[in-house]
Amino acid sequence: MSEHGDSRPQWVTDALLIGGALLATYAVFTVFGLVLGLDVNGIVSTLQRVTFFAAVYALLALALNLHWGYTGLFNIGVAGFMAVGVYAMGLLSSAEQGFGLPLWIGVVGGMIAAALVGLLAALPALRLRADYFAIVTLGLSEIIRRALLSSSLREFEIGGQSLGTGGGSGIGFPATEGVVDYVLYAGAERGGDPALLGSLLFPLAETVGIQPSVVRSSVYTALLVVFVIAFYLVLSRIGASPFGRVLKGIREDEVAARSLGKHTNTAKIKVFMLGCALMGLAGMLWQGSRGTVTPSQFMPIVTFYVFVALIVGGSGSNAGSIVGGLVFAAALWEGPPFVRRIIRANMDVSTPTTIYDALLPLADLDVLPLVGYLVGSLDEIRFMIVGIVLVVLMLWRPDGLLGHRKEIAAATDLSRPSRRAGREGVEEGGDP
Amino acid sequence: MSTVDLGGGISRLTSERTVRALVVVAAVVLALDLVRRIYTGSLTLGTLGFYLWNGIVDGLVFGLAGIGLSMTYSILRFANFSHGDLLTTGAFSGWTVAYLIAGAGIADTSSRLLLRADGGAPPGQLDLQILGEPIAILAGLVVAALLTVLIALAIDRVVYRPLRDAGGIPLLIASVGVALALRYFIALVYTSQNRAVTASSPEWSSPVFFWTEGVNVHELTMVVSATVLMVGIHLLLQYTKLGTSMRAMADNRDLALITGIPTERVVRATWMIGAGLAGVAGYLIVLDRGTITINLGWFLLLLIFAAVILGGIGSIYGAIVGALIIGLTINVSLVWIPSDMNEIAAFGLMILVLLVRPQGLFGGVETA
Amino acid sequence: MSETSEAPAEQRDAGEALLAVENLRKTFGGIVAVDDASFSVERGTITGLIGPNGAGKSTTFDCITGVYTPDAGTVTFDGEEITGRSPPAIADRGLVRTFQIAREFPEMTVLENVLLAPKDQLGESLWRSVAPIARREVVEQEEELVEQAWETLEFFEIDHLAREYAGTLSGGQRKLLELARALQTEPSMLLLDEPMAGVNPSLEKKLLERVHDLQERGYTFLIVEHDMDVIMNHCERVIVMHQGSVLAEGEPAAIKEDERVIEAYLGGEN
Amino acid sequence: MAALEVADLDAGYGELQVLEGVDMTVEDGEYVSIVGPNGAGKSTVMKSVFGLTTVMGGRITFDGEGITGRRPEEIITTGIGYVPQNDNVFPSLSVRENLEMGAYILEDVPEDRIQRVYGRFPILEERAGQKAGSLSGGQRQMLAMGRALMLDPELLMLDEPSAGLAPDLVSEMFDRIDRINADGTAVLLVEQNAKEALARCDRGYVLVQGQNRYEDSGDALLSDEQVRREFLGG
């Protein structure tokens, strides 16, 4: 353990780890793509999708890591806080169903709204035991979803302004993906004349055969990656600070932390609100990217996806959250459809409507219908795998693959300052 | 070691009292408003009776499902998020058997084995309702219980037993995993198609049911079955050695161990009873609704949790009372709020109870 | 003989009651854990609190430090009533405790455990921990705290364990760590709940030396301890609790001869 | 041959060792007390016999049979009854049900034994239908003892049965233990009330810091000035 303070900085280790995982993922998908005979545009588009989902799950896992990994707050209402963020943004910035304010005000407002709903949940719920806290947060996220779905909020008026969640058909608003048009096109008009970054990228893309729409998505995905880096930096700073130390203290033994004079309730409320705001932001960047959203995008299952991502990577570690997001997106989200495409492209499989029709031909040793059925039921299989992964992790690796909750929480090098000057070559810690 | 005052002393006490007072005031206001509505005629007694009856029907089924959740909580010490999917398991396995029997000679084999996954002969053609095919439906009920028990025991063996001492949260997360795996395994076999599997219920008119022209026989079946099973559970828990040892283990697991109670056997019995009732509850819900979906249990899970928490998690009688309150809440609340908001009222009630009286109405046990 | 808590707060001479407990009462269900207990602890002393199992010592500690709110009675610390305040509020006032079973933060290093404790850390504010400009102050303070933490670890002779995770320490080392951690809050008084439980003799000697050093620096101690040698040889005053109330109070020599105390310990009809 | 024999026992919890080389015997029908200062490891001896600690060394035999490291549910069948100090009844079960649970490993509820326990503790018969959680401290202790007696053990281990009892109930409790012993059950008693325990037992052990420091007849220990000093420090 004594190497801890002296080895290369945490962020370098993390960057190498994440970069390595990303490159490996890209390599696998590129091979898949080549097997499928995709052209450059197809492969880039595939990598863009993988990166997009890796980024959004990383954002959510990072936010959840602040709650669960650092502070031990068992929040399983992630989907609800995302919904609050996206809908608040929608109501603020939608011209038809909301106030029609600029998008950035909507984004800020969405984060504030998510934080406030977090406060509402946190104030009374923080003294509950972890399992009750879980049920309350899940209940809250379902209350939010059902309220958004309800016909009574479909349209309403505040101060003469007509607003509405749109019930089941959802709400439309300026897409967050649209922000990339500011750097790609003159006048920020999609499909207009390329400008700024656009005038650089589009011709370049054209020469290797990448379509403008893929370029646009890729630029937005790059923006998400920037957000992932920003989340990582902010959260790592929080983690490596006296505040982060208090959070760890709460997780490890709240009674002891309180007996040392730490006002844990305040810290928990702050950190819960911040995490909720980040979940709201992640929701806006993800579900808000297309400019329309419905309550069905915020089913509780989304929360469990995020949990899988976090637990796969290892709760308590920011780098683990990002790698977890990547593994989840690549292996469980984007991987299976790819496998399906490869199978369908290479095998002459039909898709029987029921498992009965798929199993019957087995009597004649014909496995193709079964393969076809399984390939056709990929979504169900994917959910099953997510469940099995959770169970297996709890049985074998409850701390996750990279899991450790032991990142040091301090704002500075922990070797003894007065001895640091002459540290070279001196055995650390065990001074006589 | 000791319980901890997280909220911080006096201010919390007063705020708790304020909330409690507000709850009482709200209840009184609602009750008065109900009287006013009936008096002014904006709410007929018939409508209210309809709501109350539906509330009791829903409440009894939630109660049946809640008993198992409460038992696993008190004896195995974790919140089982896969409990809802045990309802789903019971519903699919039971109705498959009922359909298999009733559909003999009418529907295709694949339809009969996979409960109309291919959209085969509709249940009306089979006359699959309680008076038309009583034997098939009864057989389905039995299989629903048995198969759910078997699956629950298998899952316990593979997943929960190795985690016995892992603490509440790892078990909870594992149960989420079990829930997903189980639900989508069912979807893989049966497809995630929403479909009708029972014929519509006959009506029975009798002067006993003064508020309505006739009573839905399927609902009546549910009420009778649920009541009989609840009485049965009561007798089992109170008057048998097994039941007593289950209560003993819920009280104090360590003492049970040194008293010589075979704790693993009690755990098995807990799964058998809890899962059996869950399977039956799922089966009966489909009898009433007429349609089946893989999300049946998952969508009900939070309501069942609400019921169990309301009554005091770990208390079986609390679960039954809590379930009736939740059942009545989601139905009677329709007097004031639109029908797509009534579950919000139930979840709101659950959160309120957790905040004001986390131990529930009937006490209950402590876990992680 | 006991000091009354009416002594005005300004009066700071030695011999004044720093902590005064009056008519404290705490019940759980029907069981009376603390029954009308009153005692006081003088500034600058090491005072022992003893009594047979179930005498109510730990519950008294919990009532003083805000873990429980007493049913009746008052706790006055340094001239201010603190009855029913929250544990962090009481710790802020300078009254800090350790636990019978050491409550270290197992997945934090020994150094982190100690670094958590100091009061008024700038970086405990969320924005300061993130904002680039404020961060510099945080880092500067952190450097000081790290130096201070190392000094404390050295004082307790556990500096060679600084980078170990606290969960891997032995029982006795955890006790030392807990004491070191409590000291970092710069309290004026420490409540130690069985500091010697599970501590081997050589560590015990070390711990006691530390306590005496600290007393010389002006700290006040109230110690619950089972080991009679420790109490009798190291405390200036001893408070004996029995069945929830204070049975006797006085100097160790007197306590040892007190028939009521002997009865309480050895049992017998009375 | 001794009924219970503990030889050179090292035991504790997890990595924490509490007992160091404890030797102890209880003969058939004998009444043995273990006394000592708080934290000496008295309860740990009993828990080790009943398989509830980590045994790091040494040997425990009962009726000549090695029971070291056996699980509690096996040990209960060998004829040892154990009444822990705290939480020793099932609060939500009735008094009678608590007794029935004591005989769980038997096929049928042994009505004669329940009656015998009622005969020993008449208050339990009066409260038969009442929940154990509603009993007073003394009644709970009786119920806990009664539950342990349901299997008619050869050896009854009692962990501080007088803790938390009002003084007038303490001697009543000891009288009851005397009678249980007089009826032929060997008793191993851990007590903080050393005076009473030593006055009544056949033999006593003084345990200090996880080691048995003294062993003698109860009366001899009681009059020993050294022993007295162990309790209030030297």
Side-chain angles (χ1 to χ4, degrees):
Chain A
M1 286 294 144
S2 62
E3 271 81 15
H4 245 291
D6 317 276
S7 57
R8 55 171 103 96
Q10 183 74 48
W11 71 268
V12 177
T13 323
D14 289 354
L16 288 174
L17 175 70
I18 297 162
L22 192 63
L23 284 180
T25 309
Y26 280 181
V28 170
F29 275 91
T30 307
V31 171
F32 275 173
L34 293 174
V35 168
L36 271 176
L38 294 181
D39 56 5
V40 176
N41 186 61
I43 288 175
V44 170
S45 168
T46 302
L47 298 184
Q48 177 269 324
R49 280 180 58 83
V50 173
T51 319
F52 177 86
F53 283 108
V56 294
Y57 279 107
L59 288 174
L60 289 164
L62 280 165
L64 185 61
N65 187 36
L66 184 64
H67 284 171
W68 169 236
Y70 275 113
T71 325
L73 293 169
F74 197 62
N75 173 10
I76 53 171
V78 178
F81 296 110
M82 286 166 65
V84 170
V86 179
Y87 269 83
M89 176 186 78
L91 287 175
L92 286 170
S93 55
S94 169
E96 296 79 29
Q97 288 164 279
F99 292 99
L101 297 168
L103 186 63
W104 70 268
I105 294 184
V107 172
V108 173
M111 287 177 72
I112 292 173
L116 289 179
V117 173
L119 175 69
L120 204 69
L123 270 181
L126 284 178
R127 63 191 173 89
L128 295 175
R129 300 195 313 259
D131 49 358
Y132 279 12
F133 187 76
I135 294 168
V136 165
T137 48
L138 178 61
L140 183 73
S141 92
E142 278 294 271
I143 287 178
I144 291 165
R145 187 177 67 84
R146 280 160 202 267
L148 295 172
L149 200 55
S150 163
S151 56
S152 23
L153 294 177
R154 191 189 291 270
E155 274 176 60
F156 55 95
E157 277 196 16
I158 292 178
Q161 177 78 40
S162 136
L163 304 167
T165 61
S169 48
I171 189 169
F173 46 83
T176 46
E177 200 180 37
V179 297
V180 300
D181 295 337
Y182 286 93
V183 295
L184 290 179
Y185 298 104
E189 197 68 36
R190 186 180 180 185
D193 294 328
L196 300 166
L197 195 57
S199 49
L200 189 75
L201 287 178
F202 287 124
L204 201 67
E206 211 181 333
T207 53
V208 288
I210 300 171
Q211 288 162 8
S213 67
V214 174
V215 172
R216 187 171 178 268
S217 308
S218 302
V219 172
Y220 184 68
T221 301
L223 180 68
L224 290 192
V225 171
V226 170
F227 270 99
V228 172
I229 295 169
F231 270 40
Y232 170 85
L233 289 177
V234 168
L235 295 176
S236 298
R237 273 210 151 175
I238 291 175
S241 77
F243 184 72
R245 214 145 57 208
V246 174
L247 300 184
K248 273 175 89 174
I250 293 171
R251 182 190 78 195
E252 299 286 297
D253 190 335
E254 185 168 3
V255 175
R258 285 169 68 77
S259 78
L260 290 170
K262 301 298 157 193
H263 293 261
T264 55
N265 283 337
T266 326
K268 275 158 92 178
I269 287 171
K270 277 187 197 166
V271 86
F272 197 72
M273 287 177 71
L274 175 65
C276 289
L278 295 181
M279 285 168 191
L281 178 58
M284 290 180 258
L285 293 172
W286 176 13
Q287 308 285 19
S289 64
R290 299 260 174 252
T292 155
V293 76
T294 65
S296 64
Q297 281 159 280
F298 302 102
M299 300 288 274
I301 188 87
V302 177
T303 302
F304 296 125
Y305 290 159
V306 180
F307 252 96
V308 172
L310 176 61
I311 293 172
V312 164
S315 63
S317 155
N318 286 321
S321 304
I322 296 174
V323 174
L326 177 64
V327 170
F328 181 83
L332 294 172
W333 198 257
E334 283 299 309
F338 238 84
V339 174
R340 166 163 57 193
R341 280 171 69 182
I342 291 174
I343 291 175
R344 285 200 175 148
N346 294 293
M347 291 166 85
D348 180 27
V349 291
S350 59
T351 306
T353 46
T354 66
I355 200 165
Y356 180 81
D357 301 329
L359 289 175
L360 217 52
L362 278 185
D364 307 327
L365 297 177
D366 182 6
V367 292
L368 279 184
L370 181 60
V371 172
Y373 182 77
L374 292 179
V375 164
S377 307
L378 203 70
D379 285 336
E380 286 80 7
I381 293 175
R382 177 155 72 187
F383 287 124
M384 270 177 70
I385 293 173
V386 168
I388 291 166
V389 165
L390 267 181
V391 170
V392 168
L393 280 174
M394 285 303 108
L395 285 172
W396 291 334
R397 293 294 297 263
D399 288 335
L401 296 179
L402 306 168
H404 66 98
R405 305 176 121 200
K406 294 182 176 176
E407 285 178 3
I408 301 293
T412 177
D413 183 2
L414 285 185
S415 56
R416 189 158 188 183
S418 57
R419 308 267 169 86
R420 217 174 278 161
R423 191 177 57 197
E424 233 59 43
V426 175
E427 185 65 26
E428 258 302 305
D431 311 286
Chain B
M1 50 184 283
S2 46
T3 51
V4 185
D5 170 12
L6 281 176
I10 297 148
S11 63
R12 191 191 110 206
L13 261 176
T14 43
S15 73
E16 220 168 83
R17 263 187 215 140
T18 320
V19 175
R20 234 170 249 180
L22 283 176
V23 171
V24 172
V25 169
V28 171
V29 168
L30 288 179
L32 286 177
D33 187 59
L34 207 58
V35 174
R36 182 191 64 82
R37 280 168 192 259
I38 290 166
Y39 186 73
T40 59
S42 66
L43 176 71
T44 64
L45 269 179
T47 312
L48 183 64
F50 176 73
Y51 287 155
L52 287 174
W53 169 251
N54 282 350
I56 289 167
V57 173
D58 286 349
L60 285 172
V61 182
F62 294 163
L64 214 50
I67 289 172
L69 189 62
S70 200
M71 276 167 72
T72 42
Y73 193 92
S74 62
I75 290 172
L76 288 119
R77 312 259 147 179
F78 75 102
N80 180 9
F81 272 70
S82 66
H83 193 75
D85 297 290
L86 292 178
L87 267 75
T88 315
T89 306
F92 273 93
S93 56
W95 284 105
T96 301
V97 168
Y99 198 89
L100 197 61
I101 296 173
I106 304 168
D108 299 334
T109 319
S110 77
S111 288
R112 286 169 62 205
L113 283 172
L114 293 175
L115 197 51
R116 302 192 58 224
D118 55 358
Q125 204 179 322
L126 279 63
D127 196 24
L128 195 51
Q129 45 96 355
I130 188 80
L131 300 180
E133 291 283 351
I135 308 270
I137 289 180
L138 188 65
L141 186 78
V142 173
V143 171
L146 290 181
L147 205 91
T148 313
V149 166
L150 284 180
I151 287 185
L153 287 177
I155 292 171
D156 182 63
R157 183 73 194 77
V158 177
V159 180
Y160 301 128
R161 199 161 113 183
L163 291 171
R164 210 63 100 205
D165 298 314
I169 295 304
L171 275 163
L172 191 160
I173 296 174
S175 78
V176 170
V178 168
L180 288 173
L182 188 56
R183 187 181 328 147
Y184 288 98
F185 177 71
I186 295 172
L188 181 66
V189 175
Y190 286 96
T191 76
S192 27
Q193 225 40 253
N194 201 345
R195 52 195 183 257
V197 293
T198 71
S200 53
S201 167
E203 299 274 316
W204 178 27
S205 50
S206 153
V208 181
F209 311 112
F210 61 90
W211 62 87
T212 172
E213 301 265 297
V215 69
N216 180 310
V217 178
H218 283 174
E219 286 180 354
L220 205 60
T221 311
M222 282 169 82
V223 170
V224 172
S225 325
T227 312
V228 166
L229 285 168
M230 282 176 185
V231 171
I233 290 296
H234 166 73
L235 296 176
L236 173 90
L237 284 175
Q238 293 302 327
Y239 302 107
T240 67
K241 190 170 167 181
L242 176 67
T244 315
S245 62
M246 292 173 82
R247 284 184 290 135
M249 194 164 154
D251 262 6
N252 187 337
R253 187 148 87 170
D254 295 335
L255 186 60
L257 194 69
I258 61 173
T259 306
I261 295 173
T263 49
E264 277 302 315
R265 203 188 301 167
V266 174
V267 166
R268 272 203 299 280
T270 305
W271 280 117
M272 288 166 78
I273 295 167
L277 292 182
V280 168
Y283 184 80
L284 290 176
I285 288 168
V286 174
L287 176 70
D288 180 32
R289 289 190 185 167
T291 58
I292 198 165
T293 151
I294 55 153
N295 284 316
L296 170 83
W298 170 243
F299 286 163
L300 287 173
L301 181 67
L302 258 187
L303 284 175
I304 299 168
F305 261 121
V308 167
I309 286 169
L310 192 64
I313 199 158
S315 157
I316 282 145
Y317 305 100
I320 296 170
V321 175
L324 284 170
I325 294 175
I326 291 293
L328 288 168
T329 302
I330 60 174
N331 286 287
V332 178
S333 65
L334 297 175
V335 172
W336 297 279
I337 57 176
S339 64
D340 57 7
M341 299 277 260
N342 63 348
E343 294 195 357
I344 295 181
F347 297 154
L349 189 66
M350 168 183 84
I351 292 179
L352 203 64
V353 168
L354 276 178
L355 301 181
V356 181
R357 198 179 153 79
Q359 72 274 37
L361 304 174
F362 282 66
V365 295
E366 294 279 313
T367 62
Chain C
M1 82 202 281
S2 75
E3 239 64 33
T4 58
S5 69
E6 267 94 82
E10 312 84 71
Q11 215 177 300
R12 300 245 155 168
D13 51 320
E16 166 225 355
L18 180 60
L19 174 75
V21 172
E22 283 194 77
N23 307 109
L24 198 69
R25 187 180 165 82
K26 179 72 192 173
T27 56
F28 298 101
I31 297 154
V32 185
V34 180
D35 188 7
D36 206 26
S38 301
F39 60 86
S40 59
V41 177
E42 288 168 25
R43 190 182 292 275
T45 59
I46 301 176
T47 303
L49 178 60
I50 63 169
N53 268 347
K57 301 170 305 243
S58 283
T59 312
T60 303
F61 257 38
D62 286 344
C63 286
I64 293 173
T65 54
V67 174
Y68 295 137
T69 308
D71 299 334
T74 57
V75 180
T76 311
F77 179 69
D78 206 3
E80 193 183 339
E81 198 189 316
I82 55 166
T83 326
R85 297 235 191 125
S86 73
I90 290 170
D92 278 349
R93 294 273 309 141
L95 180 61
V96 174
R97 71 174 297 179
T98 64
F99 293 88
Q100 189 178 350
I101 296 159
R103 301 189 80 135
E104 78 289 351
F105 304 109
E107 295 197 333
M108 293 166 79
T109 64
V110 167
L111 197 60
E112 276 184 289
N113 266 267
V114 173
L115 276 173
L116 175 74
K119 273 193 263 195
D120 304 321
Q121 297 189 33
L122 293 172
E124 281 180 15
S125 123
L126 175 54
W127 76 270
R128 269 179 199 278
S129 72
V130 181
I133 305 164
R135 181 83 173 179
R136 194 183 309 154
E137 297 170 22
V138 171
V139 173
E140 273 168 24
Q141 195 195 35
E142 191 91 329
E143 302 252 314
E144 281 171 34
L145 293 178
V146 171
E147 178 68 37
Q148 203 180 307
W150 276 103
E151 270 170 31
T152 306
L153 291 180
E154 219 162 65
F155 179 75
F156 283 93
E157 296 174 27
I158 47 175
D159 50 331
H160 60 291
L161 299 169
R163 294 176 195 285
E164 299 294 332
Y165 290 102
T168 64
L169 301 192
S170 75
Q173 290 168 334
R174 283 179 212 183
K175 287 279 183 189
L176 280 175
L177 170 60
E178 227 192 0
L179 186 55
R181 202 175 62 182
L183 277 183
Q184 289 299 92
T185 66
E186 298 184 359
S188 45
M189 177 168 178
L190 282 158
L191 303 183
L192 309 183
D193 198 347
E194 297 199 21
M196 308 305 165
V199 178
N200 70 45
S202 68
L203 263 181
E204 176 176 317
K205 192 159 162 280
K206 203 186 276 180
L207 235 161
L208 283 166
E209 278 167 19
R210 298 294 164 257
V211 168
H212 282 292
D213 287 349
L214 292 165
Q215 185 196 13
E216 270 162 38
R217 294 193 196 173
Y219 289 92
T220 307
F221 287 91
L222 178 63
I223 303 180
V224 166
E225 183 50 54
H226 276 144
D227 188 332
M228 283 301 153
D229 286 334
V230 171
I231 292 288
M232 296 301 170
N233 297 334
H234 297 271
C235 295
E236 282 122 313
R237 291 178 57 79
V238 179
I239 299 156
V240 186
M241 284 188 80
H242 184 49
Q243 297 190 333
S245 331
V246 175
L247 180 71
E249 207 177 333
E251 295 186 356
I255 290 293
K256 245 196 241 183
E257 301 303 319
D258 193 320
E259 273 306 315
R260 290 172 305 166
V261 176
I262 296 168
E263 285 294 308
Y265 266 87
L266 295 178
E269 300 97 313
N270 51 330
Chain D
M1 183 178 53
L4 177 72
E5 193 165 355
V6 174
D8 199 21
L9 181 70
D10 296 340
Y13 308 95
E15 298 194 350
L16 177 70
Q17 185 173 349
V18 178
L19 301 180
E20 280 174 57
V22 170
D23 293 301
M24 211 168 267
T25 56
V26 182
E27 307 289 338
D28 274 333
E30 202 183 14
Y31 184 168
V32 175
S33 293
I34 308 173
V35 299
N38 283 343
K42 303 185 296 281
S43 302
T44 310
V45 175
M46 282 190 174
K47 288 185 185 161
S48 303
V49 171
F50 219 71
L52 296 168
T53 61
T54 319
V55 174
M56 297 142 182
R59 199 173 146 69
I60 306 167
T61 51
F62 186 68
D63 277 346
E65 189 185 345
I67 56 168
T68 328
R70 293 254 195 105
R71 293 165 51 81
E73 59 265 38
E74 297 172 55
I75 289 167
I76 195 165
T77 61
T78 62
I80 303 179
Y82 170 50
V83 180
Q85 185 183 350
N86 299 311
D87 299 324
N88 51 20
V89 297
F90 298 110
S92 78
L93 268 55
S94 72
V95 167
R96 195 190 150 88
E97 285 170 340
N98 263 279
L99 295 178
E100 287 173 4
M101 285 299 104
Y104 188 95
I105 58 170
L106 304 180
E107 284 288 302
D108 303 303
V109 178
E111 194 55 42
D112 56 320
R113 290 197 191 166
I114 290 184
Q115 291 308 325
R116 211 188 310 161
V117 170
Y118 283 161
R120 218 180 263 293
F121 308 107
I123 187 76
L124 296 184
E125 186 162 23
E126 273 174 48
R127 303 280 159 96
Q130 210 170 310
K131 287 220 157 101
S134 68
L135 298 182
S136 73
Q139 292 163 352
R140 280 187 196 213
Q141 281 297 349
M142 289 185 229
L143 178 56
M145 271 189 225
R147 201 197 55 246
L149 287 172
M150 284 299 290
L151 287 178
D152 216 357
E154 284 170 57
L155 170 67
L156 182 64
M157 301 196 297
L158 302 168
D159 194 350
E160 305 216 3
S162 78
L165 295 189
D168 52 325
L169 285 176
V170 171
S171 52
E172 193 189 325
M173 180 62 65
F174 280 106
D175 290 344
R176 293 181 193 284
I177 297 169
D178 283 351
R179 250 171 279 145
I180 292 169
N181 180 242
D183 292 346
T185 309
V187 171
L188 180 61
L189 176 73
V190 157
E191 254 302 328
Q192 58 169 337
N193 192 334
K195 211 179 210 175
E196 191 85 52
L198 293 176
R200 292 181 183 251
C201 67
D202 301 326
R203 232 156 26 87
Y205 291 91
V206 180
L207 212 66
V208 180
Q209 287 182 347
Q211 296 168 322
N212 42 350
R213 212 49 81 77
Y214 307 93
E215 179 203 339
D216 210 329
S217 73
D219 295 331
L221 287 174
L222 200 53
S223 53
D224 189 329
E225 193 53 36
Q226 285 285 98
V227 171
R228 206 178 168 82
R229 208 166 288 158
E230 290 292 354
F231 281 83
L232 291 178

